[in-house]
Structure formats: C-alpha cells, structure tokens
C-alpha cells in the first residue's frame, strides 16, 4: 500500500497499535523476542516478533482518527490482520481515574442513523480476565474520541457526567474499521493526563512507562492465538 511496505504475511494476526512510533519501537525492543522491522514508511514503524512463543506485531497508528483510519484499514483488508489492540494514552475526565491508571468518521457509511463504535466483546472479556490474573486494576467503560485536541468551545468535562471515563483521538475510527471488516478491535489505555486536576506525565514517561497496559495487551494476543489453534 502507499503507507505500508511490509510483505504479505509479515504481520501477525494480532497487532498492538500505539499512536507514537517511538512507543512501537519500545514495545518491540523490550517485550517481543526476535522483533523484525517490517514497515518504516513515513517513520511509522511496524515490527513482528513473538511473545511467549506467540507471533505478535506492533505498529504505530499515528495521531488522530484519520491516521488510525488509514493504518487499521490497511492492516485489516490488505494484510488480513484479525485483531488490533490500541495501546495508547487518554486524558481522564472522571474522578474514578488517576494518572497511569465526537467525530464525523462514521458518516462515510451513509447509515440512516448514528453508528456507535464499540469494542469487541471477546477481546474485552480476554483483557479483563488477563487483568485479574496479573493483578492489574482496570476500569471498563466508554471513551470520547475527538478530532480536536485544542478545543475552543465544547466543554469536554461535560461528557464525564454521562459516565464517559476519558478522552482520546483514535479508538472510534479503529472500532468502525473493525466492524466494517468483520474483525476485532479493543482500546487498552493508560491515563497520561488528568483534565480534572491538571496532572500529566512527561513525554518520556508516555513513551516508556506504560508497561502494565502493554503486558495486558500481549496476554490478550496469546489468548486469541490459543483460541484459533
């Protein structure tokens, strides 16, 4: 494709997708065995290796829904990837969440109504089970996916009154593409900013410290491979 130089078969059936290419590189170097760079078009790095003897890939999605829309679409349709797990950062808009702990995208389908993108239940169930085994405290709930980072008008915090946990910029596009392709998708995110208190992690901490989230996503990849066997 214009955005991916990997050969057919270069990606595993499950791909972890952080937004940041440097985080993709970090995951490949610190969590995968025998990781090989399979794509570097525009510096959006993709790697394939193994985790607990299970083939797993990791590739950056870039920032925002248009970028996620391109890369996840090509992985699902061109490279026959079955599962994409977004491993990213979110800004908390709920008092339940501490540090570390609306888009036009669906209109392209021409539906007579509003499509509500949601996570795949099988991936979600697997992630919750893995979190319990690992002793990782998690919160399961809705995210607000926004096209705008520097928002001038809308009060993002108002979504918290509807039980929305956090805001980010990619998951809705990923869920839409997965639904259209008949594939599976899940967002597993770590709080990097708290919009209620103003607390935030540094750029370096965002790149290298989300280890629990990464391990959790990798355990889901192992579970999905076992289900296919």
């Amino acid at each position: 494709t214009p955005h991916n130089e990997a050969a057919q078969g270069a990606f595993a059936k499950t791909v972890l997708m952080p937004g940041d290419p440097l985080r993709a590189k970090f995951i490949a170097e610190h969590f995968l065995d025998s990781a090989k760079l399979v794509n570097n078009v525009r510096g959006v790095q993709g790697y394939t290796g193994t985790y607990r003897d299970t083939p797993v890939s990791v590739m950056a999605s870039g920032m925002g829904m248009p970028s996620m829309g391109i890369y996840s679409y090509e992985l699902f349709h061109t490279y026959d990837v079955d599962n994409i797990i977004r491993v990213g950062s979110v800004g908390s808009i709920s008092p339940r969440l501490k540090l570390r702990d609306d888009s036009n995208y669906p209109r392209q389908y021409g539906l007579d109504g509003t499509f509500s993108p949601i996570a795949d239940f099988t991936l979600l169930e697997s992630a919750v089970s893995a979190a319990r085994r690992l002793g990782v405290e998690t919160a399961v709930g809705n995210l607000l996916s926004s096209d705008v980072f520097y928002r001038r008008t809308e009060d993002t915090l108002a979504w918290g009154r509807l039980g929305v946990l956090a805001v980010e910029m990619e998951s809705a596009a990923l869920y839409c593409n997965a639904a259209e392709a008949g594939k599976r998708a899940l967002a597993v995110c770590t709080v990097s900013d708290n919009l209620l208190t103003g607390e935030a992690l540094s750029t370096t901490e965002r790149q290298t410290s989300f280890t629990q989230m990464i391990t959790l996503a990798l355990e889901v990849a192992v579970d999905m491979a076992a289900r296919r066997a």
Side-chain angles (χ1 to χ4, degrees), residues 1-18 24 38-40 44-48 56-62 67-86 105 173-174 177-178 180-185:
T1 74
H3 316 98
N4 201 320
E5 63 189 356
Q8 287 296 318
F11 285 101
K13 287 297 184 181
T14 297
V15 177
L16 274 59
M17 292 200 82
V38 296
N39 177 63
N40 198 26
V44 179
Q45 299 174 7
Y47 298 84
T48 296
V56 180
S57 296
V58 56
M59 179 174 161
S61 69
S67 183
M68 168 62 86
I70 290 171
Y71 291 116
S72 61
Y73 183 94
E74 292 179 352
L75 288 173
F76 283 139
H77 288 277
T78 303
Y79 292 96
D80 199 28
V81 168
D82 287 339
N83 315 296
I84 295 179
I85 304 174
R86 165 165 153 69
Y105 195 89
L174 172 60
N177 279 354
E180 187 271 338
K183 302 297 182 74
R184 303 183 188 277

